[in-house]
């Protein structure tokens, strides 16, 4: 410590809040504050620390902080998991240039954030988590909600954040933040390393004062760079591309985060290479475009999947190549298929034995394009791309018009109500009605697959799908974060009844903040997606319906439950409509659009009217031995299907 350095005496919590308010990011010369606010729920583990600090900086913020920085706004959430989803959605909508911080108490408040942390880390989006922690001094231990261990006193529930955080630190002395906070910011703002960053803040240390160097609170700008790939590898990639006859681009979320969508379009236009999109990458080549094939993989379109099957070269841009994208490694069947992977993260660029182009998607595409100047796929290949795209468009129109059911089919017999709306019809109607810049938000259930196939994303930020963690409960909390990040856009949350029942409470937070989101709640009596999966593995939908326990069978196959989701949503403060026909849905949507309040439209949908798969597969192992003949049959089919799986070495 040098005596001459100016110092400011603050509590550790005050110093953290003040530091956060001064952090900014910049990319391509555009600068913005890194943090859009702090979400939290107070308890004894943070109320007197971070809670006091947030209140103080708002009261005295302008006097103390640099005048250009407004104080950080505090938002009260209803559930700690949800607030992390909100932060992740906010960050995703901002292409990872901004995020929110989340403060919790110790114990359950902290561990509630773990699911959200895992989701953020898996989706590679930045969130800053500030769970309270047990006393560093240990004097009053065990405190309320403390986990004890007979082996060590250096154990806390916050250790559970370690595997789901990209940076994790325990601040057991107030001066540790001087080195911890810059590290935390480095990881949050690193496109290659980003994810959940957790700083566990013991409740006693939060309140402890220290003479901090004033320089810690100077405004800082974290520049998000656009690293370029290795030159030799770029040349090698260009050679592979030039030699390929049936190339395909797989575009992932990295294209959108890097704002490389124009670069991708230029690349596709110049080379004639068509583009399939992952869930996170949907909108990378916005519709309409003659080379846009829509979703690729397990929930992909026939257009993308047939081209993927026969591709001799796959240029992967900004994708983690999850099993949904690769159809569990069955999507690419060409005997000599090779991969080139453009990715900011080395770990992703190396997958599938790809030629790795480690760098920023936009910078790499821009440098690769002149190296393949003059190359274009054959006229015959262009024709087959156009033909498969046209066929697929017809198929989407057919499905969205409503699937006709064979009245003798098992599903029709089980669910004889023909009048129920089909989920695909709602998707079709939204596609017709919504503006290109409106955003749809979704995460789990049967909707992600249906949307990946059927939705035409006309704007890179119009399709917000959390499908890295596919976390039920993300939808409404996420919709809130999307709307906070893009207040000028209309935000439509599509959510199943299962996901809604898991986490609807952030409607209250939206109402509190006067933030308008429109929630379309598709009610199909439980888990249509997992019910369908269960049937496909021979288990007949066991345990996936919301039904009373049946005294006759002892199973959950009794009468429907008397749950009224519309009344539930209304009780949380939302405007609510029920729509049982397409006409009434259209009317409700118009009314919701005209309303300034958070709105919910409850739509009962036909559980059995499922959109099929197209030239794809998903590896879900079936029981190898079973007394059920249906399971034995499913296992035999599984063994055949899995033979298509490839190793890319
Ligand atoms: C937190 C969480 N728990 C369990 C799952 C597994 N799961 C995936 S979809 C699903 C059912 C979703 O039901 P619903 O929201 O009603 O959508 P539907 O399948 O009916 O379209 C379940 C249980 C999950 N993805 N997330
Ligand atoms: Mg459902």
């Amino acid at each position: 410590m040098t005596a001459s350095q100016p110092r400011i005496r603050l509590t550790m919590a005050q110093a953290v809040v003040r530091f956060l308010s001064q952090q900014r990011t910049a990319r391509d010369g555009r600068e913005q504050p890194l943090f859009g606010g702090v979400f939290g729920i107070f308890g004894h583990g943070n109320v007197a620390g971070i809670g006091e600090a947030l209140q103080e900086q708002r009261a005295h913020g302008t006097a103390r902080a640099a005048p250009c920085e407004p104080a950080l706004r505090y938002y009260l959430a209803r559930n700690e998991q949800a607030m992390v989803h909100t932060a992740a959605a906010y960050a995703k909508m901002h292409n990872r240039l901004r995020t929110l911080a989340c403060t919790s108490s110790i114990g359950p408040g902290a561990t509630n954030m773990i699911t959200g942390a895992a989701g953020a880390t898996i989706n590679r989006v930045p969130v800053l988590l500030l769970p309270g922690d047990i006393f560093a001094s240990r004097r009053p231990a065990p405190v309320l909600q403390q986990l004890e261990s007979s082996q060590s006193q250096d154990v806390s529930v916050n250790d559970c954040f370690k595997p789901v955080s990209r940076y994790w630190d325990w601040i057991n002395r107030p001066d540790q933040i001087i080195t911890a906070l810059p590290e935390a910011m480095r990881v949050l703002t690193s496109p290659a390393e980003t994810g959940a960053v957790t700083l566990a803040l013991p409740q006693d240390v939060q309140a402890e004062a220290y003479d901090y160097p004033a320089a810690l609170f100077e405004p800082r700008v974290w520049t998000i760079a656009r690293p370029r790939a290795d030159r030799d590898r770029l040349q090698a990639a260009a050679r592979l591309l030039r030699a390929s006859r049936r190339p395909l681009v797989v575009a992932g979320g990295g294209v959108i985060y890097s704002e490389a969508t124009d670069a991708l379009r230029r690349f596709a236009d110049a080379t004639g290479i068509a583009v399939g999109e992952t869930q996170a990458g949907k909108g990378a080549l916005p519709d309409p475009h003659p080379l846009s094939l829509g979703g690729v993989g397990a929930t992909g379109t026939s257009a993308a999947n047939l081209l993927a099957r026969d591709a001799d070269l796959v240029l992967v841009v900004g994708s983690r190549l999850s099993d949904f994208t690769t159809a569990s490694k069955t999507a690419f069947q060409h005997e000599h298929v090779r991969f080139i992977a453009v990715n900011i993260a080395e770990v992703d660029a190396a997958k599938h034995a790809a030629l790795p182009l480690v760098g920023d998607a936009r910078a790499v595409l821009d440098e690769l394009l002149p190296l393949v100047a003059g190359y274009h796929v054959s006229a015959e290949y262009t024709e087959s791309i156009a033909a498969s795209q046209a066929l697929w468009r017809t198929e989407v129109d057919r499905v969205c018009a409503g699937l006709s059911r064979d009245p003798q089919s098992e599903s029709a017999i089980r669910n004889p109500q023909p009048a129920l709306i089909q989920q695909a019809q709602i998707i079709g109607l939204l596609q017709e009605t919504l503006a290109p810049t409106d955003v749809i938000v979704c995460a789990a259930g049967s909707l992600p697959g249906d949307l990946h196939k059927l939705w035409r994303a006309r704007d890179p930020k119009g399709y917000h799908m959390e499908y890295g963690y596919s976390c039920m409960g993300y939808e409404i909390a996420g919709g809130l974060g999307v709307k906070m990040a893009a207040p000028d856009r209309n935000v439509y949350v599509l959510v199943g009844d299962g996901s809604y029942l898991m986490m609807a409470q952030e409607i209250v937070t939206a109402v509190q903040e006067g933030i308008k989101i429109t929630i379309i709640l598709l009610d199909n009596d439980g888990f249509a997606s997992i019910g369908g999966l269960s049937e496909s593995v021979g288990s007949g939908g066991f345990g996936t319906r919301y039904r009373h326990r049946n005294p006759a069978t002892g199973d959950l196959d009794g009468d429907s439950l008397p749950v009224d989701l519309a009344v539930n949503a209304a009780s949380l403060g939302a405007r609510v409509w029920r729509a049982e026909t397409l006409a009434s849905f259209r009317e409700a949507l118009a009314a919701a659009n005209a309303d300034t309040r958070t709105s919910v439209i409850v739509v009962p949908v036909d559980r059995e009217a499922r959109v099929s798969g197209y030239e794809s597969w998903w590896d879900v192992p079936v029981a190898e031995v079973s007394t059920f003949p249906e399971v034995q049959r499913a296992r035999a089919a599984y063994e055949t299907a899995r033979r298509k799986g490839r190793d890319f070495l």
Side-chain angles (χ1 to χ4, degrees):
M1 196 195 270
T2 48
S4 60
Q5 254 191 327
R7 302 248 154 203
I8 304 176
R9 191 162 177 78
L10 296 170
T11 68
M12 180 266 265
Q14 290 161 357
V16 167
V17 169
R18 191 153 173 190
F19 175 91
L20 298 182
S21 73
Q22 300 302 314
Q23 306 308 303
R24 301 177 71 79
T25 53
R27 186 166 68 181
D28 305 328
R30 259 182 301 134
E31 215 182 280
Q32 52 272 309
L34 173 54
F35 295 100
V38 181
F39 265 68
I41 293 180
F42 294 133
H44 60 284
N46 61 342
V47 69
I50 294 284
E52 191 277 343
L54 284 167
Q55 187 192 17
E56 219 218 353
Q57 61 106 38
R58 288 201 70 77
H60 309 293
T62 40
R64 277 212 175 166
C68 62
E69 295 294 347
L72 286 173
R73 177 169 286 180
Y74 170 69
Y75 296 88
L76 168 59
R78 266 58 204 177
N79 176 301
E80 293 88 354
Q81 177 186 325
M83 70 193 186
V84 186
H85 294 324
T86 302
Y90 181 91
K92 182 176 163 88
M93 197 62 194
H94 274 300
N95 289 333
R96 314 195 289 198
L97 300 173
R98 305 196 65 195
T99 187
L100 303 167
C102 298
T103 170
S104 80
S105 189
I106 71 168
T111 51
N112 266 356
M113 294 202 290
I114 288 171
T115 297
T121 293
I122 286 165
N123 283 294
R124 319 266 165 94
V125 293
V127 294
L128 177 63
L129 309 182
L130 304 170
D133 212 326
I134 52 173
F135 281 61
S137 77
R138 300 178 179 167
R139 216 170 296 119
V143 296
L144 177 67
Q145 302 169 330
Q146 176 165 346
L147 174 74
E148 289 182 90
S149 160
S150 57
Q151 292 176 327
S152 168
Q153 291 189 49
D154 192 25
V155 169
S156 146
V157 293
N158 285 341
D159 290 324
C160 300
F161 281 97
K162 284 182 184 171
V164 294
S165 298
R166 299 306 298 271
Y167 181 81
W168 181 99
D169 217 342
W170 193 53
I171 308 298
N172 53 19
R173 291 168 50 124
D175 45 336
Q176 284 176 336
I177 60 167
I178 299 169
T179 50
L181 285 171
E183 261 310 277
M185 298 306 112
R186 181 188 66 73
V187 174
L188 281 175
T189 59
S190 158
E193 286 191 45
T194 200
V197 166
T198 303
L199 298 178
L201 306 178
Q203 67 175 106
D204 54 342
V205 188
Q206 284 182 46
E208 216 171 304
Y210 183 81
D211 291 313
Y212 288 98
L216 184 63
F217 310 109
E218 289 295 314
R220 273 180 210 222
V221 182
W222 300 86
T223 308
I224 318 286
R226 293 194 178 277
R228 268 118 180 108
D230 178 77
R231 273 193 208 164
D232 292 345
R233 286 187 187 165
L234 272 170
Q235 297 286 355
R239 280 194 298 276
L240 283 177
L241 277 160
R242 284 179 182 284
S244 71
R245 302 172 63 86
R246 302 187 63 87
L248 175 76
V249 168
V250 169
V255 175
I256 294 172
Y257 301 145
S258 145
E259 296 173 89
T261 53
D262 286 345
L264 178 64
R265 187 174 27 76
R266 281 193 298 274
F267 192 89
D269 286 343
T271 58
I273 305 179
V275 177
E277 294 166 336
T278 72
Q279 284 279 18
K282 209 161 156 75
L285 185 64
D287 192 271
H289 190 284
L291 295 170
S292 148
L293 302 170
V296 67
T299 52
T301 68
S302 59
N305 286 347
L306 286 172
L307 261 79
R309 187 190 66 192
D310 300 330
D312 59 356
L313 183 71
V314 184
L315 174 62
V316 183
V317 191
S319 169
R320 305 185 299 125
L321 290 176
S322 80
D323 65 344
F324 263 80
T325 298
T326 67
S328 305
K329 298 204 174 160
T330 63
F332 308 106
Q333 289 293 324
H334 189 286
E335 195 189 345
H336 301 297
V337 62
R338 292 266 343 241
F339 297 84
I340 301 170
V342 179
N343 209 294
I344 193 78
E346 197 170 27
V347 65
D348 293 321
K351 289 173 180 170
H352 283 216
L355 171 68
L357 298 179
V358 181
D360 170 73
R362 194 171 96 184
V364 175
L365 284 175
D366 279 347
E367 290 196 352
L368 190 55
L369 184 53
L371 301 182
V372 293
Y375 169 84
H376 196 281
V377 300
S378 69
E380 179 209 338
Y381 193 49
T382 302
E383 256 172 50
S384 70
I385 291 168
S388 44
Q389 194 196 56
L391 268 179
W392 177 250
R393 283 190 172 264
T394 314
E395 175 64 1
V396 171
D397 293 343
R398 183 187 74 82
V399 173
C400 290
L403 303 161
S404 53
R405 287 193 304 166
D406 171 4
Q408 300 309 317
S409 76
E410 201 189 324
S411 71
I413 292 164
R414 216 175 319 131
N415 187 3
Q417 283 174 282
L420 275 182
I421 303 178
Q422 297 175 13
Q423 188 161 284
Q425 292 177 301
I426 295 293
I427 293 173
L429 202 150
L430 287 171
Q431 181 84 62
E432 268 171 40
T433 320
L434 268 47
T437 54
D438 290 346
V439 190
I440 57 165
V441 181
C442 188
S446 59
L447 278 161
D450 290 4
L451 289 166
H452 195 218
K453 288 171 218 166
L454 304 176
W455 195 256
R456 293 168 181 148
R458 292 164 290 169
D459 178 281
K461 300 307 297 181
Y463 182 89
H464 183 113
M465 182 67 66
E466 187 284 284
Y467 212 65
Y469 212 36
S470 187
C471 185
M472 289 170 74
Y474 176 92
E475 297 89 341
I476 295 172
L480 183 62
V482 170
K483 182 69 181 176
M484 285 177 68
D488 296 337
R489 292 182 186 241
N490 297 315
V491 175
Y492 296 85
V493 172
L494 276 72
V495 61
D497 54 326
S499 267
Y500 177 89
L501 280 172
M502 218 175 255
M503 218 173 245
Q505 75 294 326
E506 297 314 304
I507 288 175
V508 181
T509 310
V511 170
Q512 151 196 301
E513 297 297 331
I515 290 174
K516 195 265 176 90
I517 53 177
T518 302
I519 298 163
I520 295 155
L521 166 46
L522 299 156
D523 186 358
N524 55 20
D525 205 13
F527 306 159
S529 53
I530 303 300
L533 183 61
S534 162
E535 282 172 28
S536 76
V537 296
S539 297
F542 174 72
T544 60
R545 275 175 192 273
Y546 287 164
R547 290 295 170 94
H548 276 288
R549 177 140 334 259
N550 182 351
T553 62
D555 284 331
L556 295 174
D557 58 3
D559 294 337
S560 293
L561 293 172
V563 179
D564 190 329
L565 297 178
V567 170
N568 177 277
S571 77
L572 300 179
R575 281 292 323 268
V576 178
W577 292 264
R578 292 174 209 261
E580 279 162 18
T581 62
L582 280 179
S584 62
F585 179 75
R586 215 183 275 274
E587 278 167 33
L589 192 61
N593 286 342
D595 209 292
T596 53
R597 284 164 291 174
T598 278
S599 303
V600 180
I601 308 174
V602 182
V603 195
V605 286
D606 185 345
R607 180 186 171 100
E608 308 297 334
R610 297 194 176 93
V611 183
S612 68
Y614 293 88
E615 312 291 335
S616 68
W617 184 65
W618 184 36
D619 192 341
V620 177
V622 182
E624 206 168 348
V625 289
S626 172
T627 53
F628 296 120
E630 296 86 349
V631 175
Q632 292 163 5
R633 272 196 296 276
R635 175 72 196 190
Y638 170 76
E639 281 173 12
T640 309
R642 125 176 132 164
R643 281 190 214 119
K644 279 178 78 183
R646 305 270 311 260
D647 295 314
F648 301 109
L649 300 168

